Structures are given as structure tokens and as C-alpha cells.
Amino acid sequence: MTPAPRQRGAVARLGTAQTLAWASSYYLPAMLAEPMARDLGVGTATVFAAFSVALIVSALLGPLAGRAIDRHGGPPVLAGTNLVFAAGLGCMAMAQGPATLFAAWVIMGVAMGSGLYEAAFSSLVRLYGQGARNAITGITLIAGFASTVGWPLSAWMEAQWGWRGACLGWAALHLLVGVPLNSWLPRGAGPHAATSGTAPVTPGASAAVPAAAAAGTHTSTLRATLLLSFVFAVTWFTSTAMAAHLPRLLQASGTSLQVAVAMAALVGPAQVAARLAEFGLLRRMHPLVSAQLAAAAHPVGAGILMLLGGPAAAAFTVLHGAGNGVLTIAKGTLPLVLFGPQGYGARQGVMMVPARVAQAFAPLLFGMLLDRFGADALWLTTLLGLAALGALWMLRPQMQR
């Protein structure tokens, strides 16, 4: 079913705002870490350590942001994060040493914890309830180009104005573009929007539910929450590790630097292609089925790469990118299908805490394994991917109930 015109407009605005948010935060260090480090007299690792601190801060604030969206809607929270992003980028541009650099990234962590995908998904669920699946897919389609837009734009601004000018340029875009886009989102009609699509509740019915059944429901919900939290943590660890080390991993597998860079560039198009498939063919499937297929993609690709070496670089990057693209959508749709829209934002924030922490340590841990074991470091992400696939299979009885 094609989204209604009002929904298409909301998806376009929110997707564009998310592209800006991701490009100016998550994808910023890849282009600016080295010039930052040179100018501030620190190692590049220090800049990435500050970025890791931002990710941990974002993990801690995610549940609070989710509850705020459940209560007040997306526009005030998301537009507020544009102001915080601008403040963090402005402070970064004024940094004079490690202390002020870390302080700037802490501010960025506050914005990231309340202004990236989880907040956007929560905003859409509050607006459209159970009908938010296509809208979630839509914003990931648009924001899937964040690196494609962000990396060249950061590099251009850095070449023109230096890294400090690039930070100020991104801050200006948040104020001039991000604030209006998020402010113009539909506000929804209040709490009832978050319950649309759910079955009506008969007055007094809750009192008639046996205590044993209520306890069983609570246990089942807790089990599903823990399983999904594990799946999200594993997939975000792998995604971040690959984003930080993919070219070097491909070189360790036997490709030249030029080929490794060219093959790594296939991840973005593969993500977008997989999301288009999710929007078209896979949307007729249950979200759990598409998530299972996506979870299997990285282990299969890694196995091919470890078996065949460099000639399989393209197959690995395409499979990894496609799986990661669909799993990004699953992070929004699976909690909606399993638990419904009521309290979605708060629940989403809690479930993503382990994922944010795993994401913060992924570049360091996988880099250490890559230094010691070369391409065999892929055994870690392969086993984690298979464990995530097993966790998704364990959710099948939950879905049947």
C-alpha cells in the first residue's frame, strides 16, 4: 500500500533531517579526525576515543529521549536536537585541546542519543501506529545516502575552510535546514496515535486476566526484549566494525588498496538496494523473516571471503551491505510488531542501550583483532552473526503467539 501524501511528506522531511544528523555526527570523524588530531596536537586515536565517549553518552540518554517522544511527540524533541548538534559542532570548532574536544563530543552524544534513527522511528510510530513500517523504510532509504553526501561535503568544507570551518558549516546546516525540517513534521493527535492498530480493550477485561497468564505475558515480553537487545547489539557491533575497518580488512584478504576502496564503496549502494527490496518485495513478508535473511547475509559473505580471499571481496561487501541495510529497518519494525506502538519510544531507547555500548567499542576491539589475526578476525563477526540469527529463530514462538 502506498503511503498517504501526508505520510510521504513526513518521510521526506524526516529522511532529509536524518541524513543531515548522521552525516554531521556518525560520519564526521572519518573525514575530520586526522586534521583535528594534527591541529590539536593529539593522536587520531584520541579523536576516535572522544567519538566513543559520545556513543556511550547517546546510549545513556536514549531511553529518556524515547519517553519524551512518547509524551510530547517528535517535532519538539528532534528540532531541539538540531540545536544541540549545532552547539556541539560549534564547541568542536573552538576546541583547543583534548579536554575541550571531549567536552564537545559529550554534547554531540546528547544530540545523537535523541536525534538519530531511534528517535525518528519513535516519532513515526507515534504518528502512524502499526502503519509505520513503510515510513520507517522510507526514511532509511533517504538517510542511507548520509555517507555518500556527508563524506564528500565534509572533505570539501575542510579543503575550503579547514576542519573548524567544516564543523561550523555543519552547525549552520542544522540551524538553517534541520530545525525547520523537524519543526514542520506532523505533531499527531496525542496518545491515541500511538495505539492505532491495536485491538480494543474491554473495560474491566484486565481484571479478568488470570494472574498466571499475566505473569506469563510479562515473562514472554522480557524474553523477547532481551533477545532483540542482543540482536541489535551484535548487528551494531558488526556494522560499526566494518565501517571503521572494511578497506583494511579487504587488503588483509588479498586485495590492493585501490581495489579495497572501490569494493568498500559498494556497501552504500547495497544497503539502499536492500532497503528498496524491503519496501517492495519483502514488505509482503513478516519483518522477522526479512530480519533472519538479513542476519544470515554477513556470516555467508564472511565465509566466502575467508574461503576465497580477495576475489570474493565484492560478494562480501554486497552481502554485508544488503544485510545491514535491512537490519537497520528491522530495528524499527520488529519492536513495533512484537510489542505494539504503546510506549514504543521508551522501549526502543532501552533496547538500544547495549547496541550503543557495543558500537562504542567496536572499532577498537575489531582493530586489535585485525592487527593480530588479519582477515581471520572475521571469525568474530561471523560467530556473532550466527548467534544473532539463532536469537531471531528463538523469537518465532513469540511471533506465533
Side-chain angles (χ1 to χ4, degrees), residues 32-49:
L32 300 188
E34 288 190 5
M36 279 183 187
R38 285 196 305 268
D39 190 35
L40 297 174
V42 299
T44 305
T46 301
V47 179
F48 280 100

Side-chain angles (χ1 to χ4, degrees), residues 13-14 17-18 20-21 69 72-87 111 114-116 119-120 123 171 173-185 187:
R13 289 191 289 273
L14 190 51
Q18 283 293 295
L20 171 60
I69 291 174
H72 304 294
V77 175
L78 290 171
T81 64
N82 290 121
L83 300 178
V84 181
F85 271 125
S114 49
L116 295 181
S123 301
L173 287 172
H174 275 284
L175 296 175
L176 299 175
V177 178
V179 171
L181 284 174
N182 283 321
S183 297
W184 295 338
L185 289 171
R187 290 187 176 269

Side-chain angles (χ1 to χ4, degrees), residues 62-68 70 118 122 125 130 194 218 221-222 224-226 228-229 232 331-332 334-354:
L64 295 176
R67 283 194 288 270
D70 286 340
E118 291 76 44
S122 300
V125 169
Q130 294 283 10
H218 175 75
T221 299
L222 177 61
T225 299
L226 292 174
L228 277 184
S229 297
F232 296 162
K331 292 180 183 79
L334 276 179
L336 176 62
V337 171
L338 276 171
F339 310 116
Q342 187 68 35
Y344 175 93
R347 184 180 293 109
Q348 185 80 340
V350 170
M351 284 195 298
M352 290 306 296
V353 169

Side-chain angles (χ1 to χ4, degrees), residues 19 89 106 217 260 316 342 361:
T19 302
L89 289 160
V106 167
T217 300
F316 168 69
Q342 187 68 35
F361 291 101

Side-chain angles (χ1 to χ4, degrees), residues 44-271:
T44 305
T46 301
V47 179
F48 280 100
F51 176 58
S52 294
V53 169
L55 292 172
I56 293 173
V57 171
S58 73
L60 297 176
L61 291 182
L64 295 176
R67 283 194 288 270
I69 291 174
D70 286 340
R71 184 175 302 173
H72 304 294
V77 175
L78 290 171
T81 64
N82 290 121
L83 300 178
V84 181
F85 271 125
L89 289 160
C91 290
M92 199 177 302
M94 304 300 171
Q96 298 300 318
T100 47
L101 177 67
F102 273 81
W105 274 109
V106 167
I107 298 172
M108 291 290 287
V110 173
M112 294 166 71
S114 49
L116 295 181
Y117 271 150
E118 291 76 44
F121 295 162
S122 300
S123 301
L124 291 172
V125 169
R126 191 177 191 275
L127 285 171
Y128 305 117
Q130 294 283 10
R133 180 181 179 183
N134 284 351
I136 288 171
T137 303
I139 65 166
T140 63
L141 277 173
I142 299 171
F145 291 100
S147 60
T148 306
V149 173
W151 284 340
L153 188 52
S154 289
W156 180 83
M157 288 192 289
E158 194 275 329
Q160 297 295 315
W161 309 319
W163 70 268
R164 297 180 188 273
C167 291
L168 292 175
W170 283 117
L173 287 172
H174 275 284
L175 296 175
L176 299 175
V177 178
V179 171
L181 284 174
N182 283 321
S183 297
W184 295 338
L185 289 171
R187 290 187 176 269
H192 77 272
T195 59
S196 61
T198 58
V201 178
T202 303
S206 59
V209 177
T217 300
H218 175 75
T219 301
S220 180
T221 299
L222 177 61
R223 176 177 176 273
T225 299
L226 292 174
L227 287 171
L228 277 184
S229 297
F230 173 76
V231 170
F232 296 162
V234 164
T235 54
W236 276 57
F237 178 92
T238 299
S239 173
T240 306
M242 293 300 105
H245 298 293
L246 183 56
R248 193 155 70 97
L249 171 66
L250 295 179
Q251 283 183 272
S253 300
T255 68
S256 66
L257 174 61
Q258 293 80 4
V259 172
V261 172
M263 293 299 100
L266 295 175
V267 171
Q271 287 186 141

